[in-house]
Amino acid sequence: MEIGLREWLIVIGIIVIAGILFDGWRRMRGGKGKLKFRLDRNLSNLPDDDGSAELLGPPRVLDTHKEPQLDEHDLPSMSAPLREAREPSSKRGKSGNTGAAEPHQGDLNLDVDEGPSFSSRDDDFPDENTGKTSSAPRQSVNDQPAAEEVLVISVICRDAAGFKGPALLQNILESGLRFGEMDIFHRHESMAGNGEVLFSMANAVKPGTFDLDDIDLFSTPAVSFFLGLPGPRHPKQAFDVMVAAARKLSQELNGELKDDQRSVLTAQTIEHYRQRIVEFERRALTQKR
């Protein structure tokens, strides 16, 4: 009887050990199956290999926003011949009416952290001989000598829609610019548009002109202010007026100031422009001697 019980215990032990081993083997097989299944699920989410080159190489960033580019050679020449006068239209007659149709021409009074801060009035450039405010008639662009050097400040609109014609016109008229020869805007000594030309403003999109007949529907991504040397009698003061007009436009119409290299205009760049004016005047005096 004792021998039979021992044999049963041995058999039961063998069965238990076999069950443990089978359970471990089943778990191992089950874990492998899950791992393989997860890998297959991940691989199934990949796109089909159709041989496209886009699947190879590092990711690329597409530049969808391109700034308008206007070289100095694209700017209208300060000594260019006059364009033939266009026939007046009914719309031109409405926009050219002096009175309520023209925006109020206020003085510039820019409170900025850096750069020039001054007021541009009609007596900013007094007559050197009489000491009185200059009342000379408007100077023609043709009267200026050919520019040997051009200082350019561009204003790039941050809005994708660009500068809208009515708002742009309102802003630059307040800065004293007037539409004139070559179908661009000019800033004269006087806010009323009299006296010598200090600087001009062109459209940054070729051919660089503006059409007042369609100003209500007009828009442009950028404009460029430019001052030619030789040019105004007081180039440094004229340059400060140009900087103020460009800064006013950028601040009020959400623009960004750029220099002639299309880099962000900084205080150092403005000072560099002033040094270029000083150097040009020094060379001019040397040549006269």
Side-chain angles (χ1 to χ4, degrees), residues 107-112 114-121 124-125 175 187 191 198-199 236-248 270 274:
D107 294 339
L108 289 178
N109 188 6
L110 305 179
D111 297 327
V112 294
E114 59 181 12
S117 178
F118 54 88
S119 175
S120 283
R121 303 178 302 274
D124 275 339
F125 302 89
S175 295
R187 173 61 157 93
M191 289 280 287
L198 305 182
F199 60 89
K236 291 191 290 292
Q237 193 171 358
F239 174 74
D240 287 345
V241 177
M242 184 175 77
V243 172
R247 181 174 283 119
K248 179 178 185 294
I270 294 176
R274 292 197 182 101

Side-chain angles (χ1 to χ4, degrees), residues 144-164:
Q144 289 187 317
E148 300 176 14
E149 190 169 351
V150 182
L151 306 179
V152 181
I153 297 178
S154 296
V155 186
I156 313 295
C157 186
R158 289 190 174 97
D159 297 332
F163 296 123
K164 298 297 184 180

Side-chain angles (χ1 to χ4, degrees), residues 41-262:
R41 286 283 299 274
N42 292 333
L43 291 173
S44 65
N45 292 331
L46 293 177
D48 295 335
D49 185 7
D50 55 359
S52 174
E54 296 294 334
L55 298 179
L56 302 178
R60 297 178 299 170
V61 178
L62 299 179
D63 185 11
T64 58
H65 175 71
K66 295 184 179 180
E67 295 182 353
Q69 298 183 354
L70 182 69
D71 296 330
E72 290 185 12
H73 300 291
D74 297 328
L75 293 173
S77 172
M78 299 300 291
S79 59
L82 296 178
R83 296 183 57 178
E84 294 182 0
R86 294 175 297 175
E87 294 182 0
S89 63
S90 58
K91 191 171 185 179
R92 173 68 62 84
K94 294 179 181 179
S95 61
N97 184 20
T98 57
E102 182 174 283
H104 176 67
Q105 308 307 308
D107 294 339
L108 289 178
N109 188 6
L110 305 179
D111 297 327
V112 294
D113 296 332
E114 59 181 12
S117 178
F118 54 88
S119 175
S120 283
R121 303 178 302 274
D122 288 353
D123 57 350
D124 275 339
F125 302 89
D127 193 302
E128 293 178 345
N129 297 326
T130 63
K132 298 179 181 180
T133 302
S134 173
S135 58
R138 175 179 296 191
Q139 180 194 52
S140 171
V141 176
N142 263 6
D143 296 337
Q144 289 187 317
E148 300 176 14
E149 190 169 351
V150 182
L151 306 179
V152 181
I153 297 178
S154 296
V155 186
I156 313 295
C157 186
R158 289 190 174 97
D159 297 332
F163 296 123
K164 298 297 184 180
L168 178 64
L169 180 63
Q170 170 79 24
N171 185 279
I172 59 178
L173 288 179
E174 290 175 355
S175 295
L177 283 87
R178 295 294 181 268
F179 186 76
E181 299 173 13
M182 299 179 293
D183 287 345
I184 62 176
F185 290 88
H186 307 278
R187 173 61 157 93
H188 296 260
E189 283 183 302
S190 169
M191 289 280 287
N194 299 323
E196 67 176 359
V197 175
L198 305 182
F199 60 89
S200 303
M201 188 197 77
N203 185 0
V205 178
K206 292 182 179 181
T209 58
F210 301 89
D211 186 0
L212 290 190
D213 292 339
D214 296 322
I215 197 65
D216 292 338
L217 303 178
F218 173 83
S219 66
T220 180
V223 295
S224 292
F225 295 84
F226 62 98
L227 185 155
L229 299 174
R233 291 173 299 166
H234 308 282
K236 291 191 290 292
Q237 193 171 358
F239 174 74
D240 287 345
V241 177
M242 184 175 77
V243 172
R247 181 174 283 119
K248 179 178 185 294
L249 175 59
S250 67
Q251 290 176 344
E252 295 182 0
L253 299 186
N254 192 25
E256 184 177 12
L257 297 175
K258 296 294 186 70
D259 60 15
D260 54 3
Q261 302 298 321
R262 302 185 186 91

